[in-house]
């Protein structure tokens, strides 16, 4: 039997090193992370499946409108006329392949109370202005909708500026305001469900929800906030510093409002039916995914108080540790498997390698935990697809055929590997390009805004919306582009792609 080659010797030595007590601890920690995710997704699936059963039982019991409300008598005129007024504020930026369909799903709500839709754009030069104006003309007389030109932001992000201008223009009698991202498809009964929950519990400060990402042939995901409903008076009277906190240097509306809620011990809830289809651009590239990831980590650099800063640092360190703690066992497992294959292929004896079966056993346990995790994710996605189909019976049916589960696995690894790198980049750069606008932070707040169409991107990151009037050529499909879509869908922190 020939002596060990240097490369083989290094590989087998590395495998033995990964069987040390510290390395075994890291690998077992990875198993725990996988199983914790699996348990969390299983619980979320249980909650949503329970809602599906409730709706199906209601339909069987004679309530054909169970997807709108629990009790069919709530649809009687005497109840509908007493519903509170709601203002829906939608900050727009750019126009893409899915926007028109999304906007139609939002303005054709079956909410029975008075409601208005305020589409807010930066300027009339935004491609979204003309597209949404035509849509409003098409539905003229059927819905109360209008376009508002907000102008350029100077003290906060453009999205927050658009939201605040929308609030300033909402109806004086509106009781609730719903801030809605323009890149999700709403269900007909969603606004009614949210309003009912707010009416039941006046202590609710924010109601929020999540998207069901719809890839163009790749992956699916969970947990990115897509809207928040709040009390209109909180904005009229700047309760808890809501308006000033957003206006004075605010970068992220979600993170700022969450910080305010935490500081004042206010309640944030999410109904089990708050899951909305979120189509992803078919031409998403890896570079656009990277900028999207940068925006997710950049939010941890913005803060409104010392406590908020400490919380963001804790999130930074926790995500850093867990992300690489999740990835490291897979690298070790690859080494164990490669070492075992070398022993088998080249016929090395146990005496020559002094390699035990411990490494291969660790890799097998990781494979079992990974399978359990992916099975739980698949089950959650399956149930959320079913829930969305029930909540929007008039819409084209969603399907699990969208999802490529092998790409999901790759995306999980690459995304968690890149997250700490992106977080460090954001921390030291203190600047980000968001939809063609460069924001610079100082002491956790925006202190400089730069706009340059010639140097900025032509598309938003995930939605692939054209930011300017001239339509650029569509990038060609590629493996990196497919991976970019998968990464974007897998990634779970909050999204701010307007």
């Amino acid at each position: 039997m020939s002596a060990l080659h240097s490369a083989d010797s290094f590989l087998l030595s590395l495998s033995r090193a990964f069987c040390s007590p510290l390395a075994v601890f890291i690998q077992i920690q990875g198993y725990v992370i996988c199983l914790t995710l699996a348990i969390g997704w299983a619980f979320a699936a249980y909650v949503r499946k329970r809602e599906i059963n409730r709706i199906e039982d209601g339909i069987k019991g004679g309530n054909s409108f169970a997807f709108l409300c629990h009790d069919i008598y709530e649809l009687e005129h005497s109840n509908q006329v007493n519903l509170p007024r709601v203002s829906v504020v939608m900050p727009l930026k750019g126009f893409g392949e899915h926007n028109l369909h999304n906007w139609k799903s939002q303005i054709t709500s079956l909410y029975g109370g008075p409601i208005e839709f305020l589409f807010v754009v930066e300027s009339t030069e935004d491609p979204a202005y003309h597209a949404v104006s035509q849509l409003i003309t098409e539905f003229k007389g059927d819905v109360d909708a209008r376009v508002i030109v907000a102008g350029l932001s100077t003290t906060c992000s453009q999205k927050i500026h658009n939201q605040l201008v929308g609030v300033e223009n909402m109806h004086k009698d509106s009781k609730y305001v719903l801030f809605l991202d323009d890149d999700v498809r709403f269900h007909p009964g969603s606004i009614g469900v949210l309003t009912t929950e707010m009416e039941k519990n006046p202590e609710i400060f924010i109601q929020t929800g999540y998207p069901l990402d719809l890839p163009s042939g790749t992956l699916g995901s969970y947990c990115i906030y897509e809207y928040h409903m709040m009390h209109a008076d909180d904005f009229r009277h700047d309760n808890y510093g809501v308006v000033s906190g957003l206006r004075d240097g605010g970068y992220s509306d979600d993170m700022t409002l969450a910080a305010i809620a935490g500081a004042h011990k206010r309640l944030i809830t999410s109904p089990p039916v708050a899951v909305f289809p979120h189509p992803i651009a078919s031409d998403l590239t890896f570079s656009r995914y990277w900028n999207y990831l940068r925006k997710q980590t950049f939010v941890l650099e913005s803060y409104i108080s010392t406590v908020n800063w400490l919380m963001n640092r804790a999130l930074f360190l926790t995500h850093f540790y867990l992300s690489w703690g999740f990835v490291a066992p897979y690298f070790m497992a690859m080494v164990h498997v490669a070492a075992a294959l070398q022993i088998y292929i080249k016929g090395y004896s146990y005496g020559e390698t002094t390699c035990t079966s411990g490494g291969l056993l660790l890799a097998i346990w990781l494979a079992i935990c990974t399978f359990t995790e992916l099975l739980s994710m698949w089950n959650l996605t399956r149930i959320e697809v079913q829930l969305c189909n029930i909540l929007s019976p008039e819409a084209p049916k969603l399907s699990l055929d969208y999802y490529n589960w092998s790409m999901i696995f790759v995306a999980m690894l690459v995304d968690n590997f890149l997250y700490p790198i992106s977080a460090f980049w954001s921390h030291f750069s203190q600047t980000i390009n968001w939809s063609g606008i460069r924001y610079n932070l100082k002491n956790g707040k925006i202190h400089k805004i730069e706009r340059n169409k010639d140097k900025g991107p032509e598309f938003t990151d995930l939605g692939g919306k054209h930011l300017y009037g001239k339509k650029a050529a569509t990038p060609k499909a590629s493996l990196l582009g497919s991976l970019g879509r998968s990464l974007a869908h897998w990634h779970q922190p909050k999204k701010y792609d307007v």
Side-chain angles (χ1 to χ4, degrees):
M1 189 71 65
S2 61
L4 290 173
H5 295 296
S6 58
D8 295 341
S9 177
F10 173 76
L11 181 63
L12 297 176
S13 297
L14 195 60
S15 179
R16 287 194 298 272
F18 288 162
C19 290
S20 67
L22 177 60
V24 170
F25 169 79
I26 292 174
Q27 291 168 85
I28 293 176
Q29 177 184 257
Y31 309 160
V32 173
I33 295 173
C34 283
L35 294 177
T36 301
L37 288 171
I39 292 171
W41 288 328
F43 177 74
Y46 167 77
V47 171
R48 283 158 174 74
K49 183 61 176 178
R50 186 174 58 186
E51 192 65 20
I52 291 174
N53 292 337
R54 182 197 63 76
I55 296 174
E56 291 180 340
D57 289 343
I59 294 174
K60 291 177 182 178
N63 180 9
S64 302
F65 297 97
F67 67 95
L68 293 178
C69 58
H70 296 186
D71 186 354
I72 194 171
Y73 294 107
E74 294 177 10
L75 298 177
E76 290 184 350
H77 178 72
S78 58
N79 293 320
Q80 296 287 298
V81 294
N82 294 320
L83 291 174
R85 176 177 285 275
V86 176
S87 291
V88 182
V89 176
M90 285 173 278
L92 307 183
K93 182 70 174 180
F95 181 70
E97 59 183 296
H98 301 295
N99 282 115
L100 196 59
H101 188 279
N102 294 340
W103 295 340
K104 285 183 178 180
S105 74
Q106 292 160 4
I107 66 174
T108 54
S109 169
L110 294 181
Y111 180 63
I115 185 170
E116 64 175 349
F117 298 89
L118 307 176
F119 295 90
V120 189
V121 297
E122 173 186 304
S123 72
T124 56
E125 296 180 0
D126 192 311
Y129 175 81
H130 298 288
V132 78
S133 296
Q134 292 176 0
L135 178 66
I136 291 174
T137 301
E138 179 183 342
F139 285 87
K140 187 175 181 180
D142 296 323
V143 297
D144 180 5
R146 53 196 169 108
V147 184
I148 299 172
V149 178
L152 302 180
S153 63
T154 57
T155 63
C156 59
S157 70
Q158 187 64 48
K159 177 181 179 180
I160 289 178
H161 176 68
N162 287 9
Q163 289 174 329
L164 294 179
V165 171
V167 166
E168 292 172 359
N169 287 271
M170 68 181 174
H171 195 282
K172 63 181 179 61
D173 294 328
S174 289
K175 186 174 182 179
Y176 302 113
V177 56
L178 173 62
F179 297 103
L180 184 62
D181 283 2
D182 72 332
D183 49 5
V184 290
R185 297 174 185 172
F186 232 43
H187 305 299
S190 295
I191 296 178
V193 170
L194 299 176
T195 305
T196 299
E197 292 298 317
M198 297 288 280
E199 289 287 283
K200 286 181 181 178
N201 186 0
E203 295 301 315
I204 294 176
F205 181 58
I206 301 173
Q207 275 200 104
T208 190
Y210 309 97
L212 173 63
D213 286 350
L214 302 178
S216 302
T218 45
L219 169 76
S221 150
Y222 175 61
C223 278
I224 303 175
Y225 290 4
E226 288 295 345
Y227 75 85
H228 40 271
M229 175 177 271
M230 302 179 64
H231 295 270
D233 280 346
D234 286 342
F235 287 87
R236 291 192 182 100
H237 307 302
D238 195 17
N239 295 337
Y240 316 108
V242 167
V243 174
S244 55
L246 291 169
R247 181 191 59 219
D248 301 335
Y251 167 74
S252 161
D253 57 322
D254 290 343
M255 291 292 279
T256 300
L257 292 172
I260 292 173
H264 296 276
K265 296 180 172 55
R266 305 300 296 167
L267 182 62
I268 300 178
T269 67
S270 177
V273 295
V275 179
F276 307 103
H278 174 221
I280 299 296
S282 58
D283 60 350
L284 179 63
T285 62
F286 189 83
S287 62
R288 276 161 51 192
Y289 159 75
W290 171 251
N291 196 59
Y292 156 74
L293 180 61
R294 284 268 288 108
K295 289 188 297 186
Q296 309 318 303
T297 57
F298 192 72
V299 301
L300 297 178
E301 302 304 317
S302 64
Y303 53 89
I304 61 174
S305 65
T306 301
V307 173
N308 189 201
W309 178 83
L310 290 173
M311 290 296 295
N312 285 358
R313 291 306 93 198
L315 286 172
F316 178 97
L317 294 174
T318 300
H319 212 316
F320 176 91
Y321 180 82
L322 293 178
S323 288
W324 279 0
F326 176 82
V327 173
Y330 289 97
F331 174 73
M332 295 180 179
M334 285 191 295
V335 172
H336 292 318
V337 172
L341 288 175
Q342 285 295 85
I343 293 173
Y344 176 77
I345 293 173
K346 297 193 174 181
Y348 294 130
S349 67
Y350 172 79
E352 289 178 299
T353 62
T354 64
C355 186
T356 69
S357 60
L360 199 56
L361 183 62
L362 289 169
I364 292 173
W365 276 111
L366 180 61
I368 294 172
C369 293
T370 301
F371 176 79
T372 303
E373 177 192 25
L374 290 176
L375 181 63
S376 180
M377 186 194 296
W378 170 84
N379 184 55
L380 173 62
T381 306
R382 176 183 65 86
I383 290 175
E384 289 188 335
V385 165
Q386 184 181 0
L387 179 60
C388 286
N389 286 335
I390 290 177
L391 293 174
S392 294
E394 84 297 342
K397 297 300 181 184
L398 307 181
S399 170
L400 283 176
D401 294 340
Y402 287 108
Y403 303 97
N404 181 329
W405 295 96
S406 62
M407 288 299 292
I408 291 178
F409 175 68
V410 175
M412 289 164 58
L413 296 180
V414 177
D415 184 77
N416 279 283
F417 175 75
L418 291 177
Y419 187 93
I421 298 173
S422 174
F424 273 108
W425 193 325
S426 297
H427 178 70
F428 289 107
S429 70
Q430 292 291 296
T431 182
I432 188 69
N433 189 312
W434 178 6
S435 295
I437 305 173
R438 181 162 294 280
Y439 298 102
N440 300 273
L441 294 184
K442 184 177 181 181
N443 297 324
K445 296 182 180 295
I446 291 176
H447 81 104
K448 184 180 180 182
I449 301 175
E450 302 173 87
R451 291 178 170 86
N452 191 329
K453 292 184 180 180
D454 297 331
K455 295 183 179 180
E458 296 179 347
F459 301 92
T460 58
D461 295 325
L462 293 191
K465 295 176 287 186
H466 301 283
L467 294 173
Y468 312 113
K470 185 177 179 180
K471 188 171 182 178
T474 301
K476 294 181 179 179
S478 66
L479 177 61
L480 287 178
S482 180
L483 179 58
R485 288 192 296 273
S486 294
L487 290 166
H489 295 191
W490 154 252
H491 188 68
Q492 294 195 34
K494 296 177 175 55
K495 181 179 72 64
Y496 307 97
D497 184 31
V498 299

